[in-house]
């Protein structure tokens, strides 16, 4: 594998720089690890405009370091290929025009091997920068390096998410990962317990010096209504009861837009569920397609690849509702709260809006979060596809309400009388 | 005009029933008054799927009384025409299938005259019901009559909104109302004053016995951040400065979805502004199309027919933001707050979500508000097209962020340091 | 009715001019007669981009005389309204920009009454022109007047065709004409007879001094293969057997594009057939919607509102083929050829192409026919909606192969051994 | 390379079988040769629904032999993978359901290597079949083998055509073939000479025992009008004069559908022409993208990648017309006719229709040609991408009139007075 350059054993590198560089290169290596089982063909494909090729993720995360850290802060930095800025910019208007998103899958060139060389070039440049940067340049670049690291971790989750969708579109239904049993998912769910809260003022949002995205700040007081929140996620078995009860045929359970999506998309069950008798994977029972391929539906496993609309309809059917993001964040630190970040992102009833006093970062990275604050719902927690160390209780993920190719499930909540 | 039946001088009708019936028939008459200057052809046209023909509004509001009040509560009620339930149901899934929304303009039959007969039939039946209903039936129907009245008022605003869009699509640019000067709009705007608020807990939402929609309840505490809110709306003159400053060409001012709308729609200014040199209405200055036809842009008049995206971009350009709906509602009752409900609905930064403890009404009218609570932004106040007596400080109007054919403008707000 | 001006009893008008003017005004009157049973609302509606409102037809045919005859040839002619050129030009690029075709239904103004005044204005101007024009102007204008007459007759057929489609889109299924029995359609079909032809050189196309469109010229020799052609059209009863035999479910009978249309459009039978049990017109037998409203399927009546794809599939199923336009034209003059122009236009196997040596007319009317010579199929004959005196054996009608809202049916043909 | 199996030196194989097998395996090898310079990523991509991936072409042509020859005629034949029938059927309804055409590019699996194994499997089976088949099986299969050979040659042309389009969509503009000069294209065009024909009866179509597609038969008499046909194709230099003269801005030169395509597609020149100043390949002169990459426009080279609409507009501008297919076929055998099959397919004025007496082949291969006989125009000749030995004077290629990614150009014709 044309891999990450070995760490330079330079005794002059101070400890903080070394620690950040170590983390950086470890994260960069994880991206390659996630792609390792995929062929160059697999890594090139784009199954829909909202998804991106693996190769594009690998290149885009490298371009991000080039555009945000190396070009502005490393004197004399030579871009690996000047044309890549056009190819691998995602949505940064201030960084120039870019290749149209729906055509990312057409980029058979640069080839897989060249993208690996691009990554190595950037890795080496980052290592050199850690060694050579003056104090001022380092101070300016350090938060951007930290951001680049988090950014790459976000794309690691998308690498799994997007290739899973691509393989779902292939009638052969290939598996992304080996088919071995995953014990942590196989256990039947414990009985659901409700965690009560009497309501009142609470504080949410990030504060302190650790990394957080701009959209998690500032920490601020919110008013919670009296409510209860479930201690775990809704399971496949519970969701199957909703399906069996005609959940997808009863307009009264759905938001208006959700019902329109059900009709137009012919939705009858979660996106990657395979009904008995499906010719692609013949069986007499329900099956679920996931990273490990097609497996029998596990009633205890949290349901995933759910849209916000489906989560809302299920909650309505269950006589409950979704939690707000404030309820979720407040509860997740408390006792008894399970499956916070282990299985699936959790849709909340909260639209994705700025916190009071929100300020986007300065410069190009100001486009990171704020400009998407309309038409999306917040998800909290993390998923089995989220890289280790990436999640935080204050983390605000967001997707449009119809998105159903993410590792997204739900946790119930309900009102309590005042 | 086959108009509203004269009030029956029945001495037995008790005062409350009489008062409600009087209001009801007055509101019903206002619908006809709004249509009076339109030809049958004008009243039949549908200019886009989101808009409805005048005639359809006239019939739909009548069907609403039939379906929700008369058929369930008036024994032996005979529908004017059984087939109208299919034609004039808007979106009530529980009340059966319905004519597709984008095809409402194809309904040349029933003709204009027959729809007037339909209205008279319903008016008479309502008057009879007020006289004949037993105490129990009246008690059950009274809130639905009140709702029907409010419902019809909402459609009165849409009648103006929708025909204005239809006339905008006609190169002849006809006027909905006579072209006389409207003094209240012609004054130059007073200097903008900021109304400060130190933040803290406040209560919003409706309580008490007066009419309110289900989405305005329950009244509940919210946490306000320290902020200031403008005492008046943004004016056409101010907005023209934004246009002249390249507001529609600078991606950095826009939400991502907003910028996409600008590009795809070729937006260069508000929807009904007419640039100098436009062949449809030649002039060497900006003009604005409104209910009174094409008129010179009045710098003091509040800007309207603005999408949420445009409101957000303007606020960004002005170094401010939009108020939340809680900030708006709290401020509107305070001193110095002007133009609350006189000119244009005001976009807020708040997505349209349920209040804590929200419960939709029981029965078919439960589809009225709750099922639209995703993907829309709240507007507060009222507009020059809103019928008298319809607005309330707790009123929550809502539209998708791209909607730009409403009487919708904006009021600025900004953060204050804690 | 602001109708056609009474013929001026001017003894100085020479006979030829008088005869043409008489014909012209009679044809103009027929347009109004076809619209007479329609309300102003009916006349304003446009049910799809390919169809036009009745009012638009009435205005466009008048604009045609203005633009092609009066403005160029009548000195000092004052247009009724200068803006109408933009509104009522159909597709003449050389005559300036025009209102978008899909938005013709939005033109509630000019209203119905004003369009009638427009027609009267043009009628009067034509009468005056016939009286006043000098010999040279008359010579130049005469062929254009003749063309305008034919043009208006073509739109007369479209008036019926288009309003029938609009009424078909209305769940009330109104009738264009009174519901009385039409004896000529009720008779059971005679047994089909084949008219044989041994093949060889024949001449087709128009020659001589009578009126013909440019696309019918020049008369030229063609080579016919040995073949037989049916003496009458395929009947509804015969077509019903094709439907019952699974004709719409067997890909092997269809052209590739036709099969795609069947799948995408959900075609199961001809466009205006109503299956037993349809809630719009409950019955236990097949019905057909036509100008006289909903009537039981008449097995002897020729099948209509058929696309080329359906005609081709039927012919394949019947072990036959469609005739070429040359075969049709040659046969129609011969003995035994029935239903040539009485019921429905007849799809041919011939694509709409120029005859050898074809030259479009000079000037704006050169856009009349030639620019449509790709992607369309020729239909021959005429229909029950064609105005009297409009058809000719050499007439070449044309429509895209998916069009199924015309009065279009089919006649079979087959190869004979050499 | 997992290549074509070496010919089995079996002395018992009779000469005819051996000759056919030799040709077959040589053609199969040519497919691999055309793909040899492409990476697995390149071979997987699909740039639009009308184009197919290289890998898909390689697999589909192999499936064709499996489905049409081996499965029906080779007893005990084992398909390489049963699932491939679904993946690699193109449009044969009678051979079962198939993967949707627009999603061929999503098939990263089976991978490139496996498709090569599939090809080897089929090659071996064909060789074995040639050796083992009984006389009767061979007699039945022989024409299908010949068809499979021709079919694969057709896909060889598409391999070049489709990958060229994919590379055109890549801002890096990679070259399919090495960039060396191609002398035969560089020469300036000889002065155009007109080849006259006095008109009269001629015979076109294929007869005799050599291979021809069903659509080339039967040979039959046609009537030619007096005309002249150009001795060579229109060159890039000539076409550039049309572009410079505003050819793409003058509606009067275009068919109506063509003008709509110009407007909607923003056409300003042939598809693969690169205007001076284009950032993808900066230069101060026109350039053309082709199999050898970006090269300066060669004025003498025939213009290609032209739609029928563009060919028609050019001919109109040049005061000429396109030849009919009969004129082309008759002239191509005569003296002085150049560039018949060396550079580009040549659009004709003839819609793609059946010859008199046309009969599709029996069985599944009956879907080969006949079902596309509507909405397409005939092209004659062959192109520089056509494999050697594939073209014939009677060959009828066909594409929709808007197609502009083929190696398609034009030759002029004109009417002569009778």
């Amino acid at each position: 594998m044309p891999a990450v350059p070995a760490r330079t054993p330079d005794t002059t590198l101070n400890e903080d720089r070394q620690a950040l560089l170590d983390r950086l290169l470890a994260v960069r290596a994880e991206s390659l690890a996630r792609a390792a089982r995929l062929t160059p063909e697999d890594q090139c494909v784009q199954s829909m405009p909202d998804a991106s090729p693996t190769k594009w993720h690998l290149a885009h995360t490298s371009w991000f370091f080039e555009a945000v850290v190396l070009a502005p802060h490393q004197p004399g930095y030579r871009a690996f290929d000047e044309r890549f800025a056009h190819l691998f910019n995602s949505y940064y208007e201030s960084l120039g025009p870019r290749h149209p998103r729906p055509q990312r899958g057409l980029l058979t060139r640069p080839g897989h091997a060249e993208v690996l060389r691009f990554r190595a070039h950037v890795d080496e440049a980052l290592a050199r920068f850690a060694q050579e940067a003056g104090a001022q340049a380092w101070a300016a670049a350090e938060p951007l390096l930290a951001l680049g690291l988090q950014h790459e971790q976000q794309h690691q989750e998308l690498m799994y998410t997007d290739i899973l969708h691509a393989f779902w579109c292939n009638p052969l239904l290939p598996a992304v990962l080996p088919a071995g049993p995953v014990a942590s998912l196989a256990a039947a769910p414990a009985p659901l317990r409700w965690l009560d809260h009497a309501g009142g003022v609470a504080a949410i949002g990030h504060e302190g010096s650790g990394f957080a995205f701009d959209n998690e700040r500032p920490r601020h007081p919110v008013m919670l209504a009296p409510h209860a929140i479930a201690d775990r996620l809704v399971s496949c078995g519970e969701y199957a009861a909703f399906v069996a009860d005609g959940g997808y045929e009863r307009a009264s359970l759905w938001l208006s837009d959700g019902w329109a999506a059900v009709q137009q998309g012919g939705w009858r069950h979660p996106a990657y569920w395979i009904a008995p008798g499906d010719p692609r994977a013949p069986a007499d029972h329900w099956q679920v397609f996931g990273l490990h391929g097609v497996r029998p539906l596990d009633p205890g496993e949290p349901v995933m690849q759910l849209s916000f609309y489906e989560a809302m309809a299920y909650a309505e059917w269950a006589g409950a509702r979704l939690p707000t993001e404030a309820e979720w964040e407040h509860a997740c630190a408390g006792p008894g709260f399970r499956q916070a970040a282990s299985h699936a992102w959790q849709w909340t009833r909260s639209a994705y809006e700025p916190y009071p006093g929100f300020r986007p970062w300065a410069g190009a990275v100001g486009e990171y979060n704020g400009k998407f604050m309309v038409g999306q719902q917040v998800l909290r927690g993390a998923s089995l596809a989220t890289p280790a160390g990436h999640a935080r209780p204050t983390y605000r993920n967001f997707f449009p309400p119809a998105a159903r190719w993410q590792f997204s499930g739900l946790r119930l909540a309900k009102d309590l009388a005042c």
Side-chain angles (χ1 to χ4, degrees), chain A residues 16-17 20-21 126 129-131 133-143 145:
Chain A
D16 282 359
R17 291 194 185 192
L20 179 53
L21 182 61
L126 290 173
F129 179 68
Q131 202 159 5
Q136 200 171 352
W138 182 258
E142 191 175 21
L145 287 166

Side-chain angles (χ1 to χ4, degrees), chain A residues 32-39 42-43 167 175-179:
Chain A
L32 294 183
R34 291 198 173 204
R37 299 178 56 90
L38 304 175
T39 68
D42 294 337
Q43 297 190 39
F167 280 6
V176 177
L177 298 177

Side-chain angles (χ1 to χ4, degrees), chain A residues 140-161:
Chain A
E142 191 175 21
L144 296 167
L145 287 166
L147 174 60
L149 182 157
Q150 300 285 335
H151 172 257
E152 182 139 356
Q153 286 183 314
Q154 292 182 308
H155 280 275
Q156 285 167 1
E157 172 139 8
L158 294 177
M159 285 168 66
Y160 275 165
T161 310

Side-chain angles (χ1 to χ4, degrees), chain A residues 16 34 41 53 120 122 147 201 261 263-264 289 295 319 382:
Chain A
D16 282 359
R34 291 198 173 204
E41 295 165 80
V122 168
L147 174 60
V201 177
Q263 306 296 101
Q264 286 162 26
F289 180 69
R295 301 199 301 190

Side-chain angles (χ1 to χ4, degrees), chain A residues 10 28 30 63 76 87 140 145 187 190 199 201 214 220 238 277 324 329 333-334 345 364 366 393 399-400 414:
Chain A
D10 182 341
R28 300 270 296 161
E30 168 68 13
W63 164 83
L87 297 180
L145 287 166
V201 177
D214 53 3
H220 64 285
E238 289 163 337
T324 66
E329 182 172 331
W345 292 94
F399 274 97
K414 60 182 178 184

Side-chain angles (χ1 to χ4, degrees), chain A residues 42-331:
Chain A
D42 294 337
Q43 297 190 39
C44 192
V45 79
Q46 178 177 34
S47 54
M48 62 168 169
D50 288 334
S52 294
T54 301
K55 186 173 72 177
W56 191 92
H57 286 300
L58 293 176
H60 165 70
T61 49
S62 304
W63 164 83
F64 189 88
F65 283 111
E66 268 202 343
V68 166
V69 178
L70 295 169
H73 298 290
Q74 170 82 312
Y77 176 73
R78 293 272 297 270
F80 179 76
D81 188 322
E82 297 288 353
R83 302 170 302 176
F84 284 14
H86 180 87
L87 297 180
F88 298 123
N89 180 357
S90 53
Y91 55 66
Y92 295 86
E93 302 277 352
S94 65
L95 295 175
R98 62 211 160 284
H99 191 65
R101 179 168 189 151
Q103 296 181 23
R104 290 176 182 167
L106 302 188
L107 300 176
T108 63
R109 315 281 178 96
H112 173 253
E114 193 170 7
V115 166
L116 294 185
R117 284 193 292 276
F118 177 32
R119 288 186 65 84
H121 174 90
V122 168
D123 286 343
E124 284 161 23
L126 290 173
R128 198 174 315 116
F129 179 68
Q131 202 159 5
E132 299 173 357
Q136 200 171 352
W138 182 258
E142 191 175 21
L144 296 167
L145 287 166
L147 174 60
L149 182 157
Q150 300 285 335
H151 172 257
E152 182 139 356
Q153 286 183 314
Q154 292 182 308
H155 280 275
Q156 285 167 1
E157 172 139 8
L158 294 177
M159 285 168 66
Y160 275 165
T161 310
D162 292 352
I163 193 65
L164 187 60
H165 185 268
F167 280 6
W168 174 251
C169 297
N170 187 326
L172 304 182
L173 293 173
V176 177
L177 298 177
V182 178
S184 67
L185 296 183
L192 184 154
R193 290 186 50 238
W194 292 100
L195 309 175
D196 291 358
H197 188 282
V201 177
I204 66 164
H206 195 271
E207 70 185 349
S209 59
F211 178 85
F213 289 110
D214 53 3
N215 64 9
E216 301 172 49
R217 301 178 190 266
R219 188 165 178 85
H220 64 285
V222 294
M223 180 66 71
L224 300 181
H227 69 280
I229 192 167
D231 71 330
R232 62 159 174 81
L233 303 190
V234 171
S235 71
C236 284
E238 289 163 337
Y239 199 88
F242 165 71
V243 173
D245 193 37
Y248 283 80
E249 286 113 52
R250 291 159 59 183
S252 62
L253 299 171
W254 295 78
L255 288 168
S256 179
D257 287 357
W259 185 242
V262 166
Q263 306 296 101
Q264 286 162 26
W267 295 0
R268 292 292 170 264
H269 48 70
Y272 294 171
W273 285 25
I274 298 171
D278 189 309
R280 291 172 301 171
D284 58 1
H285 51 270
W286 285 92
Q287 298 175 100
V288 177
F289 180 69
L291 291 172
H292 302 279
V294 176
R295 301 199 301 190
L297 181 149
D298 179 341
E301 188 176 357
V303 63
M304 302 190 205
Q305 271 80 38
L306 226 56
S307 66
F308 172 75
Y309 297 138
E310 289 163 296
M312 284 288 289
Y314 177 86
E316 181 74 18
W317 175 81
R321 62 169 173 82
L322 299 187
T324 66
E325 63 169 326
E327 290 167 352
W328 193 100
E329 182 172 331
H330 186 71

